[in-house]
Amino acid sequence: MIQSFQRRDMLRLAAAAAAVLGGGARAQSGWPSKPVTMIVPFPAGGGTDAFARPLSAQFSKTTGQTLVIDNRGGAGGTLGASIASKMQPDGYGLFMGAVHHAIAPAVYPKLDYDIQKDFVPLMLLANAPQVVVVNPKRVTQPTIQEFIAYAKRNPAKMNYGSAGAGTSHHLAGELFKQQTGTFITHIPYRGAGPMLQDLISGNVDVCFDGLGSSSQHIKGGRIKALMMAGAKRNPAFPDVPCAAEVGLPDYTVTTWYGLWAPKGTPADVQAKIIEEMKKALASDELKTIWAANGSEIPNVTTTAYANFVDAEVKRWATVVKASGAKLE
């Protein structure tokens, strides 16, 4: 009896210990259990920030953990991407990149990371059209057609700013010049924030910007929108004509923003990141902000997102080659 009791007692103790240990393991594997850092590879105030900061605030509400925005600008977004590619693959270091990172492989010959191989593609976060915006004190032409006519008569008299060489702002400007037969001098900046500051202050004539970073300044009257890229008007700015209706049917450029994790991030953590980000994006607050920035909330994750990025890398390689754009 004593031996039987001891055996049963030992079994119960072992089962209880296993339950405690198992519960502890589950608690430790729950993501997020501490603050998460998300590298944003541009200075504060740009288009990426326009989506990253509201997302950070909403993420904190839904998870109870902080999503820290770490702005690492430079080299057209490639410096931040390089840093992000070397983060620990534990789910607590994320990377919010953009269309610029699909362009970079064709423009920068010696990147020390590969956007398609060194990261895990998690999800597309936002997708906003490019917009042609001008400083209304420097550019007095009221329509895009009159602006193009003036630029043709005055080659190199006007300049345009970009968020850096090899960014979508740069390539959008080169495409515009190519399709309109104009020449406008390119001035690269270290991000869309500094670029827009100079546009507003009057040091730059025009920018080919993502709507996410320009929308608040257009609404505030500090800059003027002449044209949306693409085949349709944007609901956030219904009075601004689109490229197709002003005779530029092939001028289609969008600024998209996406989320990656370093290669090696566990699959269950990847799934949890996507789940929590989807919860944040489903909130009324973010739906309102995304719409105000002229963006939809895409439902593109994992394999579909990887295929999207692959297609963008190929597309922009062709555009770079055709435009003759070079690293400055």
Side-chain angles (χ1 to χ4, degrees):
M1 285 289 294
I2 294 175
Q3 184 178 11
S4 176
F5 173 78
Q6 288 177 335
R7 186 183 301 114
R8 288 197 303 270
D9 195 41
M10 290 175 65
L11 288 172
R12 287 170 182 163
L13 287 172
V20 170
L21 290 173
R26 285 194 296 273
Q28 289 173 5
S29 66
W31 184 97
S33 61
K34 62 181 181 179
V36 180
T37 296
M38 184 166 72
I39 289 183
V40 171
F42 296 101
T48 318
D49 252 27
F51 294 100
R53 301 224 170 244
L55 178 62
S56 170
Q58 190 62 36
F59 178 90
S60 296
K61 289 182 183 178
T62 56
T63 67
Q65 293 291 346
T66 304
L67 180 61
V68 180
I69 304 299
D70 185 1
N71 291 98
R72 298 291 190 100
T78 61
L79 175 61
S82 174
I83 294 169
S85 69
K86 299 169 182 62
M87 293 188 295
Q88 286 294 320
D90 58 3
Y92 292 95
L94 302 175
F95 175 58
M96 184 175 175
V99 58
H100 318 295
H101 297 93
I103 297 171
V107 180
Y108 289 84
K110 296 182 180 180
L111 293 175
D112 69 346
Y113 70 90
D114 188 317
I115 195 66
Q116 296 165 283
K117 295 179 180 179
D118 295 332
F119 290 94
V120 176
L122 296 175
M123 61 192 301
L124 196 60
L125 294 172
N127 197 357
Q130 288 271 16
V131 58
V132 181
V133 286
V134 299
N135 181 300
K137 294 180 180 178
R138 289 177 62 99
V139 176
T140 57
Q141 291 75 34
T143 67
I144 189 67
Q145 294 93 332
E146 290 170 287
F147 171 81
I148 292 170
Y150 178 83
K152 284 183 176 180
R153 293 194 305 268
N154 299 275
K157 186 173 182 178
M158 290 192 291
N159 56 50
Y160 79 95
S162 80
T167 61
S168 63
H169 309 79
H170 178 198
L171 270 293
E174 295 304 306
L175 276 178
F176 182 86
K177 289 158 60 175
Q178 186 181 50
Q179 294 186 14
T180 59
T182 57
F183 184 82
I184 308 171
T185 303
H186 175 219
I187 302 177
Y189 287 83
R190 288 175 60 87
M195 171 197 80
L196 283 170
Q197 289 173 13
D198 262 18
L199 178 66
I200 292 167
S201 64
N203 294 321
V204 175
D205 297 310
V206 59
C207 291
F208 303 87
D209 190 29
L211 192 54
S213 48
S214 280
S215 61
Q216 61 176 321
H217 301 300
I218 298 169
K219 292 174 182 176
R222 293 177 288 276
I223 57 179
K224 180 180 179 179
L226 293 184
M227 183 184 77
M228 294 287 173
K232 60 182 181 180
R233 297 193 180 202
N234 190 274
F237 295 91
D239 296 332
V240 179
C242 68
E245 65 186 286
V246 298
L248 297 172
D250 297 323
Y251 189 73
T252 301
V253 186
T254 60
T255 299
W256 52 263
Y257 304 93
L259 188 67
W260 284 266
K263 183 180 178 180
T265 300
D268 61 331
V269 176
Q270 295 177 39
K272 188 63 176 173
I273 294 169
I274 294 170
E275 177 188 340
E276 294 298 340
M277 290 298 178
K278 280 188 172 183
K279 286 181 185 177
L281 290 170
S283 68
D284 290 339
E285 293 93 333
L286 292 198
K287 287 179 180 179
T288 299
I289 292 170
W290 262 233
N293 287 339
S295 174
E296 58 185 13
I297 297 179
N299 184 23
V300 180
T301 62
T302 58
T303 301
Y305 179 42
N307 292 339
F308 172 81
V309 173
D310 292 346
E312 284 286 275
V313 169
K314 292 176 183 177
R315 176 196 177 209
W316 284 110
T318 301
V319 172
V320 169
K321 184 177 180 180
S323 69
K326 301 294 182 181
L327 176 63
E328 299 177 10

